Amino acid sequence: MLQVLFNGLVTGAILAPGAIGFTLMFGILRFPNFAIGAYITIGAFAILFFDQVAGWHIALAMLGGIAVTALVVWLTDLVVFRPMRQFPPISLLVVSIALSLILENVIRFIAGNDVRGFDIPLTRPVKLSGLMFTSEQLYLIALAVAAMFAMHAILKFTKLGKAMRATADNFTLAEVRGIDTDKVIAATWLIGGALAGLAGFLAGLDLVIEPLIGWHLTIPVFAAAILGGIGSPYGAMAGAVLVGLAEEMTALWFDPAYKVGVGFVIIAVLLLFRPQGLFGQPEIKK
Amino acid sequence: MEVKGIVSGYGRGDIVKGVDLAVGQGEIVTVIGPNGAGKSTMIKTVAGVVPARSGSIAVAGKEISGLSASEVARRGVAYVPQEANIFRSLTVRENLEMGAWVLPEKQAERLEMVYGFFPVLRERRDRRAGNLSGGQRQMVALGMALMVDPTALLLDEPSAGLSPKLVEEMFEIIARVNQAGVAVLMVEQNATQALKMSDHGYVLAGGQVKFSERADVLLNHTEVAELYLGVQG
Amino acid sequence: MLSYLISMTTFVGFFMILALALNLQWGMTGMVNFGIAGFYALGAYTSGLLTVEAGWPFLFGVAAAAVVGLVFGVALSYLSVRLRDDFLAIVTLGFAELVRLFALNEDWLTRGPRGLPIDVRPLSGVFDRDGYAIFYLGIVASAVLIAFLVNERIRRSPYGRAAKAIREDDVVAEVLGKNVLRIRIQIFGLGALYMAVAGALYAHYTQNISPDHFTPVVAIFIWMSVIAGGAGNNKGLLLGAGLVMMFLEGSRFLGEFISFMDAEKASAIRIILIGVLLILVIRFRPQGLMPEERFKGPSEI
């Protein structure tokens, strides 16, 4: 049981940065960006490139990959979404799915379908009072927790972070008060992209790296964000851990191949009974 | 502030059909009129939230029509919407800080000033603004607008939804803000009370100015009193 | 060459049925469905398995696919029609992934990634090979025609106008007394039925189905067909489906001429191009090639 909880925590740690990134973008841009999975894939491959082709140290490669992902994600806004800012959310949603296929296949075009992994020494699993874990798993959790603290600090203590929360809360008022919403939006894409890059690294540590790595995480990431109340970064963190736990628990009874299904069932059930998420407050409708 | 012949609206039709207004330095000007007269759209147009289709809006001789809401805010014209006028999920203090976005160097000084106007906000500064009472939420909204050291305030029904006692308090606060040298243009349902403290009044109906008089004249104007102030005979 | 054309036209037929289905759900009623591949697969496997494993005749298999599609469509929409459109997108996408995972992992039933061979075909002894291709094209064409006529009938009926009122604004439709929930479920179910029938016809045509025929890319092709053709316009999307197929095939030929690209890269390029085209169409011609015909209300006549 302890093992299951631990594995759930690891899965939650992989999902958390992506879920936070997704929910931040949703909060400000008001459409679900399906390309989040493709962004994660870009992160994994960018880090892989710095790690294996450029031969950087893995920590450096991670930072480089995160920077590249943030940049690419921001560019997708400039080129694709920004000119369509006034379009209905459903159009943007379709666009984001198309974008996700484009990015995924750009990766496939460059890197092929081969299965890869980061160049890190394999470590022997450690056994501690019945709990098996690897040092990568510990790094993974530590990184996810660090990202959450960093995110918390940005949102709570920096002017830009507060403006992001304000803009997500009430876009019109933010403009009326003179908040530079263009800057806030750009920051949101960059931060969301950086989080996706980190998610790519975490996913690459735990799973094999292939062009669909991010796609497989899309539905669990959505589940985590929706579970936490879409638009709420703190909810997304908690949601990620819950989805992770649920995935590992159901793997006790079902074929682990159906992990994605767990996310889907969580979404379906939750949307049915509590569309505002477990921790969200009901939307006030006029 | 000089507003000349502004036309605006949503979709195909015009709601505001050529309105002229003037607000002198340090004046309080109130716009009254029946529901659907275009008062709210008019003030949103001045604030840059709804684009003006024609006409001009000048503040201290400088044209501001055609500017976005945030650019208007930067020019010292602070608009307070009637609804959704605070960031509910932010604390009181964070709300006020957001108000100071365009004037960061004066933030500390302005914060003290706003707390001076609304001592209760200092007490509640770490509360989520959405959890405050209606009156306190209005204070946050007004306080946020004051953070930019505005030359003019645009208020869309500042007394809406407040209890009679709070309405009085609200108007007192507006008067105090005004005494500190801020011109006020407001749209109000509480016509009599608002006009009593105003220098000038306008009656808007069907998107056009029907009357423009000194406030005390307007208050004693029989036709206006009957039609818009709810005074019988 | 002729047999190639016939085969391509048959494939366009499957696209057309799927596009007509999506037009019911999205174009006319405003429900976002990204789980097209899920219903398509459901129909294909239902008919395939029942005919191959249980020995059912072709027509029964297709009918069973229709029923299964309808049941799943109604169930899924019953669960989620109250959702905001963007959440419906997520739920349908998740559903399609689940169906694909099931086909992939339940080897004992679906034979997993190796694929399910299907040798049952209607009247297979009567025609020679070329004749049969034409005959099957006839079957698919009839299905397209029926679906098209049903769609047009719905579009022109008061029921269809109610669906459109829902698309424009749920709340208004509710106020007008349209039973929003019921109409949404019925339309979604009917669309799912079309998709499943398309899947069944596809299965008996290709005679081998495997999970990788049913990836989310299918949804993009169909969305592209509907959007390019003009959402809400049944004729437009037929054109759209044809154009998308021509594009897919055309780009495949191109891929063969460019020798330095292997099949994998060529297929990646095709999907990239489709994605780019879809985004361009949405941005620059959101109404499609053939914009929806506007209805004249009684007052306008």
Side-chain angles (χ1 to χ4, degrees), chain A residues 44-58 61 115-120 209:
Chain A
F45 275 87
I47 295 166
L48 192 74
F49 173 82
F50 288 129
D51 173 45
Q52 301 197 335
V53 182
W56 295 6
H57 184 271
I58 187 70
V115 165
R116 302 148 199 259
F118 295 133
D119 189 12
I120 37 178
I209 301 174

Side-chain angles (χ1 to χ4, degrees), chain A residues 12-284:
Chain A
I14 297 173
L15 297 178
I20 300 169
F22 170 77
T23 223
L24 276 178
M25 292 193 250
F26 183 91
I28 291 188
L29 299 150
R30 294 282 145 191
F31 74 93
N33 192 338
F34 274 72
I36 184 77
Y39 295 157
I40 293 175
T41 307
I42 288 177
F45 275 87
I47 295 166
L48 192 74
F49 173 82
F50 288 129
D51 173 45
Q52 301 197 335
V53 182
W56 295 6
H57 184 271
I58 187 70
L60 208 58
M62 178 188 84
L63 294 176
I66 287 176
V68 167
T69 314
L71 227 55
V72 169
V73 169
W74 179 60
L75 277 177
T76 64
D77 180 48
L78 288 191
V79 176
V80 180
F81 293 109
R82 197 185 153 122
M84 291 193 259
R85 202 74 88 209
Q86 302 307 323
F87 280 47
I90 293 303
S91 301
L92 297 175
L93 187 159
V94 178
V95 166
S96 77
I97 292 185
L99 175 67
S100 136
L101 282 171
I102 294 171
L103 295 176
E104 181 193 309
N105 281 286
V106 168
I107 297 276
R108 182 168 286 139
F109 184 79
I110 299 170
N113 274 327
D114 299 346
V115 165
R116 302 148 199 259
F118 295 133
D119 189 12
I120 37 178
L122 276 177
T123 52
R124 205 182 286 276
V126 183
K127 202 163 180 174
L128 201 73
S129 58
L131 186 66
M132 288 259 282
F133 57 88
T134 62
S135 49
E136 285 97 78
Q137 287 177 317
L138 293 187
Y139 284 132
L140 201 157
I141 294 176
L143 277 170
V145 170
M148 289 187 218
F149 275 117
M151 211 47 239
H152 173 73
I154 290 174
L155 290 174
K156 194 75 196 168
F157 302 116
T158 70
K159 201 178 158 197
L160 190 67
K162 289 178 202 175
M164 283 170 69
R165 283 193 292 138
T167 309
D169 185 312
N170 189 333
F171 193 93
T172 317
L173 184 61
E175 294 219 298
V176 163
R177 289 285 76 89
I179 293 177
D180 190 343
T181 46
D182 283 340
K183 198 164 143 190
V184 168
I185 289 173
T188 305
W189 286 99
L190 284 167
I191 292 175
L195 286 166
L198 178 66
F201 180 65
L202 301 184
L205 280 182
D206 201 57
L207 313 163
V208 293
I209 301 174
E210 39 110 15
L212 284 172
I213 185 174
W215 173 254
H216 292 316
L217 292 172
T218 305
I219 288 176
V221 159
F222 281 178
I226 294 172
L227 197 60
I230 198 156
S232 148
Y234 301 110
M237 298 176 196
V241 174
L242 287 177
V243 171
L245 287 175
E247 283 193 359
E248 295 301 328
M249 304 258 242
T250 45
L252 290 177
W253 298 289
F254 292 99
D255 188 333
Y258 290 109
K259 270 187 182 177
V260 173
V262 175
F264 165 68
V265 171
I266 291 178
I267 295 176
V269 171
L270 195 77
L271 289 180
L272 201 57
F273 295 108
R274 225 184 129 72
Q276 71 271 36
L278 279 187
F279 314 109
Q281 295 181 344
E283 264 182 57
I284 297 161

Side-chain angles (χ1 to χ4, degrees), chain C residues 146-297:
Chain C
I146 293 170
F148 176 79
L149 292 176
V150 172
N151 268 23
E152 278 295 298
R153 180 99 193 217
I154 291 176
R155 190 174 70 88
R156 290 166 196 281
S157 70
Y159 185 84
R161 283 196 284 275
K164 249 182 236 183
I166 294 172
R167 180 187 69 185
E168 301 306 328
D169 193 338
D170 278 6
V171 184
V172 170
E174 194 79 76
V175 171
L176 289 175
K178 318 285 188 198
N179 192 332
V180 172
L181 205 62
R182 205 188 67 223
I183 293 177
R184 286 181 66 136
I185 291 173
Q186 285 168 345
I187 293 272
F188 198 92
L190 183 61
L193 181 150
Y194 283 15
M195 290 171 184
V197 169
L201 294 176
Y202 170 73
H204 293 282
Y205 180 70
T206 61
Q207 301 198 295
N208 190 309
I209 49 173
S210 77
D212 50 328
H213 295 168
F214 305 105
T215 59
V217 179
V218 175
I220 285 296
F221 294 158
I222 303 308
W223 274 83
M224 181 72 195
S225 304
V226 173
I227 291 178
N233 187 320
N234 291 317
K235 284 182 217 113
L237 64 87
L238 296 183
L239 177 71
L243 286 177
V244 168
M245 183 57 81
M246 269 164 65
F247 172 81
L248 287 176
E249 284 303 306
S251 60
R252 203 169 68 176
F253 277 126
L254 216 63
E256 279 168 17
F257 282 114
I258 306 171
S259 51
F260 62 85
M261 267 199 284
D262 52 28
E264 193 176 276
K265 284 197 193 309
S267 115
I269 287 279
R270 284 161 72 200
I271 298 177
I272 293 170
L273 284 177
I274 270 278
V276 170
L277 276 178
L278 182 55
I279 293 176
L280 290 177
V281 170
I282 292 178
R283 176 159 166 202
F284 294 108
R285 198 167 166 84
Q287 74 276 33
L289 295 173
M290 293 170 75
E292 184 175 11
E293 297 162 38
R294 290 190 64 88
F295 264 107
K296 289 192 171 69

